[in-house]
Amino acid sequence: MFRGCRRGPSSGPARAVAPLAAAPPARAGDEPLLRGIFEIGKRSCDVVLSARRLRWSPILPESPTGGTGVALQAQEEIIEMKDVFSVKLKRRRFAGQQKGGTLLGITIFKCLHKEENKLTDCAIHLNNLSEDHCQSWFRHLKEILNVTEYEGHALLVLKECELQAFDGVVCVGGDGSVSEVAHGLLLRAQIDAGKDTEYVSKPVRAPIPLGVIPAGENERYCYILLVICS
């Protein structure tokens, strides 16, 4: 953004004003996709979403003109999208209500490094009562995070995925999601190896590891893996 500089009345000759330097080009993935206002931690915030990160800063009142006070500085907070593992719409429901409910906003779940090789999580609540506003943001967040929406979605995504571009795949879900992701990894590996996917007597091993964060009702996979590893 360039700010114009208006010249006021002056008794002396006009002075040349050096042009403002252009801002450096944004890195790939840093271009803003959405910008909007949400309440975060009981404060109205200006929120900007890009493919790489989510950032926000409190909306502060303008300082009085002509005052001697120091202008208020809004502290920006940033979440790297690579640290986000889940997102959901937040609704208020009555007891026993399974669907619908009053929309409150969006909840983003971020992974935190607690100790070496230990992780914990935290939730960031983006509060906004506008259904259209939240649905638009929710849709963009799901596209960035590859959130599955129906049975077979993970299989479809992995079937078209270039596995060599990743160091690994982590599945957050229950037994069905884990099974589907494992199937998708193996299926893509057979396709890359040029094998017939209808019947494979000796399947090719997937080139990247699969990690599992249990988040389902029945975590049989995790129990089985624990027994085998023990």
Side-chain angles (χ1 to χ4, degrees):
M1 180 180 70
F2 293 92
R3 295 181 61 186
C5 181
R6 276 192 293 182
R7 182 171 40 184
S10 173
S11 57
R15 292 181 298 175
V17 179
L20 295 174
R27 293 173 53 195
D30 283 342
E31 301 86 356
L33 300 175
L34 285 177
R35 185 170 192 166
I37 296 176
F38 287 91
E39 183 185 87
I40 303 176
K42 297 183 179 180
R43 302 184 72 178
S44 293
C45 295
D46 178 21
V47 186
V48 180
L49 174 67
S50 69
R52 287 180 178 270
R53 56 180 58 93
L54 179 76
R55 52 189 176 90
W56 68 90
S57 56
I59 300 174
L60 302 178
E62 295 182 1
S63 59
T65 57
T68 58
V70 179
L72 295 173
Q73 297 293 325
Q75 184 177 4
E76 185 178 67
E77 297 190 52
I78 297 175
I79 291 177
E80 299 292 337
M81 295 307 295
K82 63 181 178 63
D83 295 329
V84 176
F85 64 87
S86 184
V87 59
K88 71 174 184 178
L89 288 173
K90 185 172 63 170
R91 296 183 182 273
R92 180 187 292 119
R93 293 191 174 105
F94 297 107
Q97 185 178 2
Q98 299 296 326
K99 296 182 179 180
T102 303
L103 179 68
L104 301 177
I106 301 170
T107 299
I108 294 174
F109 297 92
K110 176 189 175 184
C111 189
L112 298 175
H113 293 272
K114 187 177 181 181
E115 299 175 15
E116 186 178 359
N117 297 328
K118 289 186 178 181
L119 301 175
T120 185
D121 65 88
C122 71
I124 297 94
H125 303 288
L126 309 181
N127 298 317
N128 191 302
L129 300 182
S130 169
E131 185 87 27
D132 292 340
H133 187 66
C134 289
Q135 288 290 355
S136 177
W137 278 74
F138 188 56
R139 184 173 63 254
H140 278 80
L141 285 165
K142 289 193 298 182
E143 290 175 357
I144 294 172
L145 298 173
N146 281 329
V147 177
T148 55
E149 300 180 54
Y150 50 85
E151 184 178 352
H153 193 181
L155 183 63
L156 182 64
V157 171
L158 288 168
K159 185 178 178 182
E160 304 299 327
C161 188
E162 294 294 335
L163 299 183
Q164 292 78 8
F166 300 91
D167 296 322
V169 172
V170 177
C171 174
V172 182
D175 297 341
S177 298
V178 175
S179 175
E180 189 175 315
V181 171
H183 185 190
L185 285 173
L186 286 172
L187 180 62
R188 182 65 207 188
Q190 310 320 304
I191 293 173
D192 291 341
K195 288 183 171 288
D196 181 10
T197 57
E198 295 297 327
Y199 176 76
V200 183
S201 57
K202 293 183 178 180
V204 174
R205 186 173 183 174
I208 57 176
L210 168 63
V212 178
I213 298 178
E217 296 179 2
N218 300 313
E219 289 148 7
R220 295 188 184 90
Y221 264 106
C222 296
Y223 176 76
I224 293 169
L225 289 174
L226 179 63
V227 172
I228 293 175
C229 292
S230 300

